[in-house]
Amino acid sequence: MSREVSYVRILQSVAQMQVSIASILEAKAAEAEKSKAWICSHLTARQFATHQDQVQQPLEVHDGLIELIEAMTRMEQSLGRHLQIVIGEQENQGGGLGDYSELLGGGNK
């Protein structure tokens, strides 16, 4: 298998990972919307002993969402760094991204 084919496969894999990440984020957004609706309709001031407890519950939900966003951000940054390495290696060899024209049927031979 040629180096170019390997690079294309890497890029296809990364694209599929991005689709999966988008699906995860979409599911988390739907879950957050359901949680918001439940919290807004079921958690009232009467259900908490103190104001501290009333503030603590939404903060716990918020902290969970922040942890998720931070984890997804770290994963995206890692993917970006790896793609930069792959693209950088290709450009250092003098090919750049334009050399994929052969794989797409546009090569002149």
Side-chain angles (χ1 to χ4, degrees):
M1 177 182 335
S2 71
R3 189 174 209 104
E4 289 82 15
V5 172
S6 296
Y7 285 147
V8 169
R9 285 188 175 179
I10 290 170
L11 293 174
Q12 288 172 337
S13 297
V14 169
Q16 185 57 44
M17 287 176 68
Q18 294 294 338
V19 169
S20 298
I21 290 167
S23 296
I24 291 169
L25 290 174
E26 187 178 337
K28 283 296 183 181
E31 181 182 335
E33 187 64 32
K34 289 178 185 178
S35 295
K36 180 195 83 159
W38 185 87
I39 288 169
C40 288
S41 62
H42 290 90
L43 294 182
T44 61
R46 291 178 285 156
Q47 294 168 325
F48 297 100
T50 65
H51 180 69
Q52 173 93 14
D53 294 337
Q54 185 179 4
V55 171
Q56 189 64 33
Q57 181 69 31
L59 284 176
E60 289 173 7
V61 172
H62 182 73
D63 286 343
L65 291 173
I66 297 247
E67 287 176 18
L68 172 73
I69 291 168
E70 286 175 344
M72 299 298 274
T73 300
R74 283 191 304 270
M75 184 175 60
E76 288 289 338
Q77 288 172 340
S78 176
L79 283 171
R81 280 192 302 269
H82 286 93
L83 281 175
Q84 285 176 342
I85 290 168
V86 168
I87 291 170
E89 286 177 2
Q90 182 68 16
E91 288 175 351
N92 288 339
Q93 294 173 0
L97 293 176
D99 280 356
Y100 291 114
S101 60
E102 286 180 28
L103 297 171
L104 302 174
N108 295 330
K109 289 191 177 185

